[in-house]
Amino acid sequence: MLRFLLGRLAILIPTFLGVSLIAFSFIRMLPGDPVMLMSGERVMSEERHAAIMHDLGLDRPMPVQYLNYLTDVLSGDLGTSIVTKRPVLGEFLSLFPATLELSLCAIILAVVLGVPAGVFAAVKRGTWFDQSIMGVALVGYSMPIFWWGLLLIIFFSGYLQWTPVSGRISLMYFFPPVTGFMLIDSLLSGQPGAFRSAFSYLILPTIVLGTIPLAVIARQTRSAMLEVLGEDYVRTARSKGLSPLRVVGVHALRNALIPVITTIGLQVGVLLAGAILTETIFSWPGIGKWMVDAVFKRDYAVVQGGLLLIAGVIMLVNLAVDITYGFINPRIRH
Amino acid sequence: MSTVTASPKKTGHPSALAEFWHYFSRNKGAVIGLAIFIVILVVAILAPLFAPHSPSEQNREALLLVPSWMEGGNSSYLLGTDAVGRDILSRLIYGARFSLFIGLVVVTLSVISGVLVGLVAGYFGGRTDIVIMRIMDIILAFPSLLLALVLVAVLGPGLLNAMIAISLVNQPHFVRLTRASVLAEREKEYVVASKVAGAGTMRIMFLTILPNCLGPLIVQATLAFSAAILDAAALGFLGMGAQPPTPEWGTMLAEAREFIQRAPWVVTFPGLAILITVLAINLMGDGLRDALDPKLKRS
Amino acid sequence: MALLEIQNLTVEFQTASGLFRAVDNVSLTCDRGEILSIVGESGSGKSVSMLALMGLLPWTAKITADRLAFDGKDLIGLSPRQRRNIIGKDMAMIFQEPMSSLNPCFTVGFQLGETLRIHMGMNRAQRRERSIELLKLVGIPAPEERLSNFPHQMSGGMSQRVMIAMALACNPKLLIADEPTTALDVTIQAQILDLLVRLQKENGMALVLITHDMGVVAETAHRVQVQYAGQKVEEQPVGQLFADPHHPYTAALLAALPERAVAGEKLPSIAGVVPGQHDRPTGCLFAPRCAFVQPDCHQGARRQGRELGEALCNYPLVKGVPLDHPAFAVKEGA
């Protein structure tokens, strides 16, 4: 197990260095003068140009620049937003809980519906039940979620007027963030109706963001389950006279979950990509919308820092998934 | 004494192609997907024949016209018009050209580069392999859409840059797949036999090993095709892909967003077009997987 | 009355290219305390008929039988729940691949105890005690420590011992062993066979031993049933079968035994393979490979009486000479 973890870490470190190199070179690949880009000014004097260049360390050799950048990153300095003039890391940390809350809700929705759907489809393979579940899953998997979000807004917000269109909570409520999770903060605030409001704002984005992971998890669970159901040990379990529920729910599912957990972990990247679109559609103040806005406002410091931070988050989640994988797979644990 | 008589009549072993079609066509969804895809392909190629209007022709008399079957619709504009009076159906028909073209270019670029790099990594192994796979890990550490978005921000918005960005993001999947297949095939007897027979590296890589990894690659290519269409539409929707007035489906959605409450059909049809196209390709992909993956055949 | 009684069992599978008959009107009996061996090449349907008896075939299999009785109970009329009360308790089975027949995600103790809990309703302490007793019985050293092992930590022979312990957990009346030694090393094979025979004697249970190894048959079985391409072709007590095989297929199998080879001569083999789904002959299924084939064999094969081992053959062998065979009749007449 320890060897397994060390192996994972040995892969993680060079990957992180590579990711930081990409974030570093990003600014230097942009067409135009990096000094102008980073300062966000359009006209400047020669002296000011040289001063900023020196401040940013752009006059030093590339390897030195990269080492400086890496040192800054490791000490938590990811630069300052050109637009807001606030530290990039601070902005990220204030917006990340919103994305995390939305992503968690989406993945919970996807797992809670997707795993049972996949299991039932596998057990009832070839039946109309299996075919309709897998049909719906394929539609979900093929869904352009930005359009799906707009459709849901047209129907639930526009036509039925059931759910709000954008934001995290009604403007009626205001309370300082404690955990950053609106569902929890609204409960802590003790304001009547606040939780209900936060919940209603969360429904549509959760559905939109959860759609593709839900479809992927249902399909993956079904195929893992089908594979496992053909294994010798499932036949052994049946030969013991165990009930079908126990054969499927204990003997088969326990094994099928191993690849499914990996799939769930891989969905984190999908979720963060989906968050870019979902947050844009629902004006959800998270890091996805933050990144899109930064690209549009040419806030390259934010794009650079965000790129590194988001990749970092994904790598950490993947590490966590690997550890979980090690724990649920006895062949690795021992 | 009893007599045990004739068992079922003799049938020959089916040929490889017939067997492929047998497994493919057994999946009804795959056949439907193939049919829809062919229709979309024909419509895209012969767009001028099918489109009732020019995709850029603006009719100032008919802004945001409802589809023809709704009250106040005009039979000349089957799916209605957009905010500047262009026929939505015609724009969708021309848009199919962009989507299929994007898919084709992305798949071609990422398959060729991915397979080459994957073959090299898998065949040579050792340090080459480690370096290549670490680079792929780095690309995969970013959410694909984010990386594509940032790449487009660097290269400048536009269809061509979007395609390059999406190809780059898709490529690691082909590298990994090819490498894994090569590693699995490399030690098999037929490869060793061909080595013993004196075949050169190039010959072994391309003529001996590659054909035996084709199945999973074809399946992945299908998936990449649909993913490319989705990603390009997403970039278009974010304003970073094809630029207006190009009738690209994602870009059309972006333009229509502000009329979401007033004219829902302007939003509905482009998305529906994306969904149907992607769904058709994915249906085919599932059928191909059933037909080409020997592991699943036994079921 | 026999413990196990099967009459005209037929199993068919729906495959991509049509219906495949894996078991064709097979009848079989096995008494208490008897070792019955079912012999045949791969594809002869010997495992499938026993899997059908255990109810372990996938639902795509179509099973029909005139009678399927165990211990006086007709299994055909039982509900799945009633059947599960018999399976794993009074009727148990072990399989060819011990390594893959144990569930990789659960410990030996869990997999052993499960049967004891379901069928015997034992509590935790009783289960532990009985599990240790069982592991001792099958000759596993340090059974207390083995209980917490996962299957991947054990060798093939050890796994098969655990499988046997699991099958014996509830003192079954019938144990079906499906090629229990095929996947094991030669030295381990003999140990496992000895163990099975010893346990069979000690417990007075019936043992159905499926194998393709005539050597194993000679050493262990009381009675032998030979199957070919899903049909029973001959049945005799073991001594008589080896002394005077009545079906040409049995004779050919025996002739292929290295022990029976004449020094200096090439070991005889049976040309061709068992017919599959696509090359099933009309008439006698063995006709294409038979040394004594006659034109009427392509029409069909007659079932001979008890005295001729119920051989499914138009010209059954008696002391190596086909009865009423035109070629041999002429010789005798001349």
Side-chain angles (χ1 to χ4, degrees):
Chain A
M1 184 73 193
L2 193 68
R3 257 187 70 170
F4 171 75
L5 272 185
L6 287 178
R8 290 286 128 178
L9 277 176
I11 293 181
L12 202 63
I13 291 166
T15 310
F16 179 77
L17 288 179
V19 165
S20 67
L21 192 61
I22 288 187
F24 166 79
S25 36
F26 158 71
I27 295 289
R28 285 147 188 90
M29 287 182 333
L30 283 171
D33 178 13
V35 174
M36 299 287 226
L37 291 172
M38 292 305 278
S39 63
E41 292 171 35
R42 285 169 191 262
V43 206
M44 61 174 72
S45 62
E46 289 268 328
E47 299 84 57
R48 183 161 162 72
H49 187 277
I52 295 177
M53 191 150 180
H54 185 75
D55 277 351
L56 293 172
L58 292 172
D59 52 351
R60 270 164 273 178
M62 276 292 173
V64 179
Q65 287 188 34
Y66 174 63
L67 275 182
N68 287 342
Y69 172 69
L70 204 59
T71 328
D72 284 350
V73 165
L74 291 178
S75 62
D77 176 11
L78 287 158
T80 312
S81 161
I82 297 165
V83 177
T84 63
K85 309 287 178 206
R86 288 170 50 205
V88 172
L89 185 64
E91 286 206 340
F92 177 85
L93 290 178
S94 71
L95 295 171
F96 186 61
T99 301
L100 188 61
E101 181 177 37
L102 178 56
S103 303
L104 279 178
C105 289
I107 202 79
I108 288 171
L109 176 83
V111 171
V112 165
L113 294 181
V115 170
V119 169
F120 279 117
V123 171
K124 303 267 174 212
R125 70 182 293 197
T127 61
W128 66 268
F129 180 83
D130 175 26
Q131 282 163 358
S132 21
I133 293 249
M134 284 306 111
V136 172
L138 194 68
V139 172
Y141 180 66
S142 311
M143 189 63 84
I145 60 165
F146 42 96
W147 175 67
W148 177 224
L150 295 179
L151 275 195
L152 290 178
I153 291 176
I154 291 176
F155 190 72
F156 288 104
S157 308
Y159 183 69
L160 293 175
Q161 308 244 319
W162 283 0
T163 51
V165 180
S166 67
R168 291 181 78 187
I169 193 164
S170 162
L171 295 173
M172 282 168 57
Y173 303 98
F174 182 78
F175 37 83
V178 184
T179 60
F181 288 179
M182 201 53 89
L183 284 180
I184 298 175
D185 286 355
S186 62
L187 277 180
L188 292 178
S189 76
Q191 295 182 33
F195 179 78
R196 217 187 127 94
S197 169
F199 186 77
S200 68
Y201 275 81
L202 199 54
I203 295 174
L204 288 191
T206 299
I207 294 175
V208 169
L209 190 55
T211 297
I212 288 182
L214 169 59
V216 173
I217 289 172
R219 281 162 63 90
Q220 171 69 46
T221 306
R222 177 179 180 272
S223 78
M225 207 58 193
L226 278 182
E227 186 138 318
V228 166
L229 285 176
E231 293 285 349
D232 288 349
Y233 52 77
V234 170
R235 187 180 59 188
T236 307
R238 292 206 293 143
S239 80
K240 290 175 170 179
L242 305 180
S243 67
L245 188 70
R246 196 170 162 85
V247 171
V248 172
V250 177
H251 283 264
L253 186 60
R254 182 66 176 69
N255 284 278
L257 275 183
I258 295 172
V260 170
I261 295 271
T262 314
T263 306
I264 295 173
L266 288 175
Q267 292 312 303
V268 175
V270 176
L271 278 177
L272 286 175
I276 295 172
L277 294 165
T278 311
E279 291 178 2
T280 306
I281 299 167
F282 292 98
S283 305
W284 189 265
I287 53 169
K289 188 170 183 305
W290 179 58
M291 286 297 280
V292 174
D293 290 347
V295 168
F296 272 100
K297 290 177 187 154
R298 303 181 178 279
D299 192 341
Y300 293 115
V302 166
V303 175
Q304 184 185 35
L307 205 55
L308 187 67
L309 285 167
I310 291 173
V313 168
I314 291 183
M315 286 192 291
L316 283 181
V317 174
N318 285 346
L319 183 69
V321 171
D322 282 339
I323 293 172
T324 321
Y325 184 84
F327 265 107
I328 61 167
N329 191 344
R331 267 170 285 200
I332 290 180
R333 192 169 53 198
H334 291 273
Chain B
M1 281 192 219
S2 63
T3 307
V4 178
T5 44
S7 30
K9 68 165 185 256
K10 247 179 168 174
T11 47
H13 271 286
S15 81
L17 192 68
E19 195 187 25
F20 166 78
W21 179 248
H22 171 87
Y23 279 104
F24 185 81
S25 62
R26 197 170 54 153
N27 186 335
K28 265 177 267 154
V31 178
I32 297 173
L34 180 67
I36 298 174
F37 182 74
I38 291 174
V39 168
I40 297 171
L41 193 67
V42 169
V43 166
I45 293 171
L46 304 175
L49 284 182
F50 285 98
H53 300 267
S54 151
S56 50
E57 175 197 299
Q58 304 184 357
N59 184 350
R60 296 278 166 193
E61 318 281 280
L63 304 182
L64 291 178
L65 200 65
V66 296
S68 61
W69 62 84
M70 285 165 71
E71 204 170 319
N74 181 334
S75 60
S76 162
Y77 298 99
L78 191 62
L79 299 182
T81 59
D82 68 5
V84 290
R86 293 172 297 196
D87 179 36
I88 291 179
L89 179 64
S90 304
R91 287 179 68 73
L92 288 181
I93 290 175
Y94 277 90
R97 291 183 153 189
F98 287 96
S99 285
L100 294 183
F101 179 67
I102 292 165
L104 193 69
V105 171
V106 167
V107 168
T108 313
L109 281 180
S110 45
V111 166
I112 292 178
S113 60
V115 166
L116 281 178
V117 175
L119 270 178
V120 168
Y123 190 81
F124 292 105
R127 211 164 280 176
T128 327
D129 181 33
I130 294 177
V131 171
I132 290 178
M133 293 325 284
R134 283 300 83 78
I135 294 176
M136 295 306 133
D137 281 347
I138 292 166
I139 300 181
L140 287 174
F142 297 100
S144 59
L145 187 64
L146 178 68
L147 196 59
L149 188 69
V150 170
L151 276 171
V152 170
V154 173
L155 302 168
L159 199 57
L160 180 70
N161 292 339
M163 288 192 291
I164 294 173
I166 297 168
S167 305
L168 192 76
V169 176
N170 260 313
Q171 187 235 17
H173 297 289
F174 289 97
V175 175
R176 283 190 160 188
L177 199 62
T178 313
R179 173 181 172 272
S181 310
V182 170
L183 285 183
E185 298 290 324
R186 199 175 56 176
E187 304 305 329
K188 292 209 179 140
E189 271 96 7
Y190 72 94
V191 177
V192 177
S194 131
K195 243 185 224 169
V196 172
T201 305
M202 282 296 170
R203 192 182 164 81
I204 292 180
M205 279 206 306
F206 287 98
L207 292 178
T208 312
I209 295 184
L210 188 58
N212 288 290
C213 315
L214 273 184
L217 279 175
I218 292 175
V219 176
Q220 180 65 34
T222 325
L223 293 180
F225 199 108
S226 57
I229 293 180
L230 274 182
D231 278 353
L235 284 179
F237 178 75
L238 290 174
M240 284 287 163
Q243 296 300 301
T246 315
E248 196 272 328
W249 294 339
T251 313
M252 285 171 70
L253 267 177
E255 288 179 80
R257 238 188 105 180
E258 50 181 305
F259 308 106
I260 172 173
Q261 300 296 10
R262 258 203 301 157
W265 65 91
V266 192
V267 176
T268 308
F269 296 120
L272 202 58
I274 301 172
L275 175 63
I276 290 174
T277 310
V278 172
L279 186 59
I281 297 168
N282 284 343
L283 278 169
M284 278 182 352
D286 275 5
L288 283 173
R289 198 192 50 208
D290 290 351
L292 294 174
D293 190 343
K295 225 170 68 178
L296 292 166
K297 259 187 201 172
R298 60 193 153 97
S299 58
Chain C
M1 192 180 51
L3 177 70
L4 175 66
E5 218 184 318
I6 299 174
Q7 266 172 33
N8 291 332
L9 173 71
T10 296
V11 181
E12 287 169 323
F13 290 96
Q14 189 67 56
T15 69
S17 39
L19 209 60
F20 174 63
R21 186 171 280 200
V23 177
D24 192 354
N25 279 305
V26 166
S27 298
L28 178 152
T29 58
C30 187
D31 285 322
R32 281 159 231 273
E34 186 188 29
I35 303 184
L36 169 73
S37 188
I38 305 179
V39 188
E41 288 169 84
S42 11
S44 60
K46 48 196 189 323
S47 305
V48 176
S49 50
M50 288 301 112
L51 290 172
L53 172 70
M54 291 283 291
L56 296 180
L57 289 175
W59 59 270
T60 44
K62 210 177 123 240
I63 303 166
T64 52
D66 292 346
R67 191 169 158 76
L68 203 63
F70 174 75
D71 203 14
K73 281 181 284 247
D74 193 353
L75 297 178
I76 295 175
L78 293 186
S79 71
R81 186 184 289 268
Q82 288 168 318
R83 199 154 172 179
R84 286 203 301 274
N85 286 335
I86 299 175
I87 284 164
K89 184 166 182 279
D90 295 327
M91 187 188 340
M93 187 162 178
I94 58 171
F95 304 94
Q96 186 171 346
E97 298 282 347
M99 303 285 262
S100 58
S101 291
L102 289 170
N103 194 322
C105 283
F106 296 104
T107 60
V108 168
F110 176 90
Q111 298 187 55
L112 262 170
E114 195 176 27
T115 321
L116 296 169
R117 188 165 58 84
I118 304 257
H119 290 299
M120 317 288 271
M122 289 184 177
N123 65 30
R124 185 183 284 267
Q126 288 169 321
R127 291 205 298 267
R128 192 179 155 78
E129 194 187 342
R130 173 73 175 147
S131 297
I132 293 172
E133 186 190 339
L134 282 165
L135 291 181
K136 265 189 202 143
L137 193 67
V138 296
I140 289 181
E144 291 85 356
E145 289 154 38
R146 281 288 165 193
L147 286 181
S148 56
N149 271 19
F150 282 93
H152 69 273
Q153 295 167 302
M154 298 188 301
S155 66
M158 205 59 94
S159 300
Q160 193 60 297
R161 285 174 196 271
V162 170
M163 283 297 292
I164 295 174
M166 258 161 59
L168 292 180
C170 311
N171 290 318
K173 296 175 179 145
L174 170 69
L175 176 65
I176 302 166
D178 183 0
E179 307 230 11
T181 57
T182 310
L184 303 176
D185 290 342
V186 185
T187 45
I188 310 291
Q189 286 188 4
Q191 292 177 15
I192 295 287
L193 275 180
D194 289 346
L195 175 68
L196 280 173
V197 173
R198 196 193 85 212
L199 293 168
Q200 182 268 336
K201 252 184 223 139
E202 283 175 9
N203 295 7
M205 61 180 182
L207 176 64
V208 173
L209 183 67
I210 301 172
T211 181
H212 61 260
D213 186 341
M214 275 293 184
V216 170
V217 174
E219 281 166 39
T220 49
H222 300 154
R223 202 154 49 83
V224 188
Q225 171 153 341
V226 183
Q227 270 185 229
Y228 183 80
Q231 297 177 337
K232 172 171 123 176
V233 294
E234 175 162 8
E235 185 203 322
Q236 285 206 74
V238 67
Q240 289 159 31
L241 182 100
F242 276 79
D244 186 12
H246 295 310
H247 196 282
Y249 177 61
T250 318
L253 274 185
L254 291 173
L257 277 178
E259 292 87 342
R260 299 201 156 195
V262 182
E265 270 183 37
K266 218 172 142 190
L267 194 64
S269 61
I270 314 174
V273 290
V274 181
Q277 191 184 355
H278 298 291
D279 51 1
R280 216 171 154 84
T282 54
C284 174
L285 297 178
F286 188 60
R289 305 171 72 186
C290 184
F292 308 107
V293 65
Q294 287 296 308
D296 65 330
C297 292
H298 299 297
Q299 309 306 315
R302 280 189 309 277
R303 172 78 68 199
Q304 302 293 336
R306 264 235 109 90
E307 70 289 353
L308 288 170
E310 295 179 21
L312 185 64
C313 183
N314 297 334
Y315 305 99
L317 301 173
V318 177
K319 305 281 175 214
V321 178
L323 208 62
D324 301 332
H325 194 277
F328 290 82
V330 171
K331 245 186 233 166
E332 278 168 27

